[in-house]
């Protein structure tokens, strides 16, 4: 019994006693081991790697480019609102821009006829932006991860002269430069309704949709698809609740009110466009 107690005490001290001194074998405690561990092993919790905090997810910075206020001479208001709601829901940081220039003309939206009135694109866009809109000339591409352009006839009248020249149109110079810079930087562009014609003009060979290419009551602007094809781009038929993603050019398009669809379907289609644009950012 005395020998057993002696061996146990010697083991705790780091030695095994038995025979003469030449037979003794020493055991050193592992770093962090407790004397109560007869095998000299470190506790398991000391082997655990320190927990690293999860990396912060940066909010996407998106420039939304407007062309006035009102479907017939500016930005289509419901499309702009849909874009802003979906961006807000996705946690994006948004800044709105518009050119500081006169509109092509002002349209009486009750009658659908031009008036003699003069209005400024930037000032009209401020109605949608709740006053928070910046001159397009101040847009710095390096400050943003993506750009989105809602539709409306303002795209065809104020951001270009498509309404007059169709496929032979020219693009507002500042906007043309900005679109090219986003594309060259590999940053995605989202466009809806008539605004994809901007990409068709600036990015030859790109893929896009303005809805369907067969005109009918549901698709009154289907001839736009033919013009896109004549400009050397690929048109992809899509329904109003869908979007087309041109991965190569990082271009996301949806038809919106190029289709005579219910508001909620246009809203949903714009949402798909926004989501796919943010995925590429």
């Amino acid at each position: 019994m005395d020998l057993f107690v002696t061996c146990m005490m010697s083991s705790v001290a780091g030695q095994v006693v038995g025979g003469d001194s030449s037979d003794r074998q020493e055991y050193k405690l592992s770093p962090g081991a407790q004397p109560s561990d007869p095998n000299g092993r470190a506790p398991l919790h000391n082997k655990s790697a320190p927990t690293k905090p999860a990396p912060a997810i940066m909010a996407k910075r998106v420039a939304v480019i407007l062309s006035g206020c009102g479907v017939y001479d500016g930005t289509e208001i419901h499309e702009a609102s849909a874009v802003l709601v979906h961006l807000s829901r996705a946690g994006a940081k948004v800044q709105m821009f518009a050119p500081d220039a006169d509109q092509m003309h002002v349209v009486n939206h009750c009658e659908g006829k031009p008036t003699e009135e003069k209005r400024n694109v930037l000032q009209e866009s401020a109605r949608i932006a709740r006053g928070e809109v910046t001159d397009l000339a101040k847009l710095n591409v390096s400050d943003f991860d993506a750009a989105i352009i809602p539709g409306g006839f303002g795209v065809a009248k104020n951001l270009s002269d498509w309404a007059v020249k169709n496929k032979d149109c020219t693009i507002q110079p500042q906007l043309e430069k900005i679109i090219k810079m986003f594309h060259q930087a590999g940053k995605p562009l989202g466009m809806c309704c008539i605004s994809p014609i901007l990409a068709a003009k600036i990015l030859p060979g790109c893929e896009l949709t303005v809805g369907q290419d067969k005109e009918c009551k549901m698709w009154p602007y289907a001839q736009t698809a033919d013009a896109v094809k004549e400009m050397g781009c690929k048109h992809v038929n899509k329904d109003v609740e869908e979007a087309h993603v041109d991965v190569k050019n990082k271009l996301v398009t949806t038809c919106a009110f190029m289709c005579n669809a219910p508001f909620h379907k246009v809203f949903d289609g714009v949402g798909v466009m926004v989501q796919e644009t943010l995925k590429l950012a």
Side-chain angles (χ1 to χ4, degrees):
M1 183 67 177
D2 292 340
L3 179 60
F4 175 77
V5 172
T6 302
C7 288
M8 289 296 293
M9 292 177 65
S10 299
S11 176
V12 171
Q15 298 181 0
V16 175
V17 180
D20 57 27
S21 60
S22 63
D23 294 329
R24 294 177 184 174
Q25 185 176 2
E26 292 188 358
Y27 291 84
K28 295 183 179 180
L29 295 176
S30 300
Q34 302 299 320
S36 58
D37 184 350
N39 294 316
R41 294 173 299 193
L44 290 177
H45 68 269
N46 280 357
K47 293 184 178 181
S48 301
T51 302
K52 295 182 179 180
I57 299 176
M58 298 296 291
K60 301 298 183 182
R61 303 162 300 169
V62 182
V64 175
I65 300 173
L66 305 175
S67 59
C69 181
V71 58
Y72 297 134
D73 57 14
T75 299
E76 211 297 321
I77 297 171
H78 299 285
E79 291 178 16
S81 178
V83 166
L84 296 173
V85 169
H86 287 293
L87 286 173
S88 176
R89 184 169 287 154
K93 292 184 177 180
V94 176
Q95 186 171 353
M96 285 172 269
F97 295 87
D100 186 3
D102 288 340
Q103 295 183 180
M104 173 183 163
H105 60 194
V106 177
V107 175
N108 180 325
H109 278 57
C110 291
E111 300 177 355
K113 297 178 181 179
T115 70
E116 297 300 319
E117 190 178 354
K118 298 290 184 182
R119 294 192 183 186
N120 177 277
V121 179
L122 182 64
Q123 292 175 11
E124 288 299 292
S125 297
R127 296 175 182 272
I128 294 175
R130 297 173 60 85
E132 297 294 328
V133 64
T134 304
D135 185 352
L136 185 64
K138 297 180 180 179
L139 194 161
N140 187 343
V141 173
S142 63
D143 291 338
F144 297 94
D145 301 303
I148 293 179
I149 307 176
F153 278 97
V155 172
K157 296 178 178 180
N158 305 326
L159 300 185
S160 72
D161 54 8
W162 175 274
V164 178
K165 298 182 179 179
N166 202 263
K167 62 185 178 65
D168 296 319
C169 71
T170 56
I171 309 300
Q172 200 269 1
Q174 292 171 340
L175 179 61
E176 181 175 6
K177 180 180 178 181
I178 287 167
I179 290 175
K180 286 180 177 179
M181 290 179 69
F182 267 96
H183 183 254
Q184 291 167 0
K187 297 181 177 183
L189 295 158
M191 301 181 183
C192 61
C193 194
I194 190 63
S195 66
I197 60 98
L198 301 171
K201 188 68 178 182
I202 298 172
L203 308 175
C206 67
E207 299 178 2
L208 57 86
T209 188
V210 289
Q212 299 290 315
D213 58 5
K214 301 297 182 184
E215 189 169 332
C216 62
K217 185 177 180 180
M218 182 68 72
W219 300 96
Y221 308 107
Q223 71 274 11
T224 306
D226 294 330
V228 165
K229 296 173 187 176
E230 292 175 12
M231 295 165 73
C233 298
K234 179 180 179 181
H235 181 266
V236 182
N237 285 341
K238 290 287 184 178
D239 200 359
V240 66
E241 295 172 290
E242 299 176 312
H244 179 69
V245 181
D246 179 348
V247 177
K248 179 181 177 181
N249 289 293
K250 288 195 172 183
L251 174 65
V252 186
T253 52
T254 190
C255 66
F257 280 110
M258 297 293 274
C259 176
N260 281 331
F263 284 77
H264 71 279
K265 289 190 175 183
V266 172
F267 180 87
D268 291 345
V270 170
V272 175
M273 181 267 290
V274 169
Q275 292 167 13
E276 294 298 328
T277 301
L278 293 178
K279 286 180 184 178
L280 295 174

